[in-house]
Amino acid sequence: MCPADQTVATNNDHLVQSDDPEHPANLIPELCRKFYNWGWVTGTGGGTSIRQGDHIFIAPSGVQKELMKPDNIFVLQWPTPKYPASDRSYIRKPLKLNPSACTPLFLTAFEQGAGCCIHTHSQWAVLVTLLVEREKGPDACFEISNIEQIKGIPRGKGKGMLGFFDTLKIPIIENTAFEEDLTSGLEAAMNKHPDTYAVLVRRHGIYVWGDNTAKAKTQCESLDYIFQLAVEMHKLGLPWVK
Ligand SMILES: CSC[C@@H](O)[C@@H](O)C(=O)COP(=O)(O)O
Ligand SMILES: [Zn+2]
């Protein structure tokens, strides 16, 4: 056995090997294939992370997310230090790959109790941040009401779902040169909007999280639907809030 093979054999590979399609190491590649087809993670952008018990499953950085295999997945012991990156407690690291640059942002969602966090570069998400670009600063938000799909978004933890007549409010933070540097903005937006399950990143995309993978996915789908609708409404001169 060559030294590289020895590293592989002692790298906790069993943590990403399962016949269960619901295992996070199988789910992340499967979800990313879907997200690629929906335009959420093309060109290596975007990604997904799942927490299962005291393990966090993270995709590699800079890879074609739709081609990922379970063997490419990193595993972090949870809880783990968020900073510095070198202190994060990886218990499985694929050789020749680096963990996603979104890792500290995903960890921020897990600190809030999330079970899954999705990052997309959806053009609809980017477009709504452009349509409200005049609104800058800590109060920047996308707002919409009187749309049925709003009912797919929680009012806050343990507070049920938003109603048709409620106003959905998604905070917007400014983009940074490096993905990791978005973390303080995400933390600030979460502190200011403790009930939110999503934060838009101007000219970049969105982070959406949920109590579990199904909720993160359906909430992200509902938001993407709403953003597309909002862009079309804007083109027709229709207001988002009645
Ligand atoms: C098209 S590059 C996009 C990246 O810089 C980043 O925004 C991103 O979402 C993915 O980072 P990654 O480290 O590949 O998981
Ligand atoms: Zn990104």
Side-chain angles (χ1 to χ4, degrees), residues 45-46 102 119-121 179 204 207:
C102 313
H119 170 45
T120 90
H121 283 194
E179 192 91 19
H204 181 156
Y207 279 83

Side-chain angles (χ1 to χ4, degrees), residues 40-48 58-65 98-103 106 119-121 175-180 182 204 207:
W40 290 4
V41 299
T42 52
T44 80
T48 300
I58 302 252
S61 181
V63 302
Q64 296 179 76
K65 301 288 183 352
N98 293 310
S100 170
C102 313
T103 298
F106 292 146
H119 170 45
T120 90
H121 283 194
N175 200 26
T176 54
F178 300 101
E179 192 91 19
E180 295 93 332
L182 289 169
H204 181 156
Y207 279 83

Side-chain angles (χ1 to χ4, degrees), residues 3-236:
D5 288 341
Q6 279 168 9
T7 312
V8 171
T10 57
N11 195 20
N12 281 330
D13 286 353
H14 68 281
L15 294 177
V16 297
Q17 291 166 347
S18 170
D19 293 334
D20 179 1
E22 297 296 310
H23 187 283
N26 294 329
L27 258 185
I28 291 174
E30 172 66 20
L31 286 172
C32 282
R33 275 192 289 278
K34 286 193 167 71
F35 297 168
Y36 176 81
N37 290 325
W38 300 343
W40 290 4
V41 299
T42 52
T44 80
T48 300
S49 179
I50 295 175
R51 180 175 66 79
Q52 188 179 66
D54 55 2
H55 290 162
I56 306 279
F57 295 80
I58 302 252
S61 181
V63 302
Q64 296 179 76
K65 301 288 183 352
E66 74 283 12
L67 302 183
M68 238 189 300
K69 302 274 184 297
D71 187 51
N72 304 141
I73 302 289
F74 289 75
V75 185
L76 269 166
Q77 184 70 40
W78 180 255
T80 184
K82 197 151 62 170
Y83 293 114
S86 54
D87 278 3
R88 289 178 204 146
S89 16
Y90 287 97
I91 51 175
R92 182 179 194 269
K93 274 187 175 190
L95 291 173
K96 297 180 190 154
L97 290 173
N98 293 310
S100 170
C102 313
T103 298
L105 293 114
F106 292 146
L107 294 178
T108 302
F110 296 133
E111 283 170 356
Q112 298 287 310
C116 174
C117 183
I118 299 170
H119 170 45
T120 90
H121 283 194
S122 162
Q123 293 191 6
W124 304 117
V126 174
L127 277 167
V128 295
T129 70
L130 289 169
L131 290 176
V132 293
E133 196 157 37
R134 64 201 171 277
E135 277 184 45
K136 291 224 169 159
D139 294 329
C141 274
F142 163 79
E143 289 183 50
I144 195 164
S145 67
N146 297 80
I147 298 294
E148 180 71 6
Q149 197 79 23
I150 287 173
K151 288 154 78 175
I153 306 299
R155 219 183 268 276
K157 207 168 180 68
K159 297 182 181 174
M161 308 302 267
L162 290 171
F164 177 75
F165 296 107
D166 288 328
T167 298
L168 168 71
K169 221 174 160 175
I170 306 291
I172 303 173
I173 60 171
E174 301 307 316
N175 200 26
T176 54
F178 300 101
E179 192 91 19
E180 295 93 332
D181 297 339
L182 289 169
T183 313
S184 55
L186 184 72
E187 289 167 345
M190 283 174 166
N191 289 336
K192 195 169 166 56
H193 303 269
D195 286 335
T196 195
Y197 276 88
V199 171
L200 283 157
V201 185
R202 185 111 51 203
R203 295 175 173 262
H204 181 156
I206 189 165
Y207 279 83
V208 182
W209 54 96
D211 300 341
N212 55 44
T213 305
K215 287 184 182 178
K217 174 173 172 282
T218 53
Q219 285 159 205
C220 201
E221 286 167 2
S222 289
L223 287 173
D224 206 56
Y225 167 102
I226 291 165
F227 296 149
Q228 180 172 6
L229 188 72
V231 171
E232 296 301 331
M233 286 170 78
H234 180 84
K235 286 199 259 180
L236 294 168

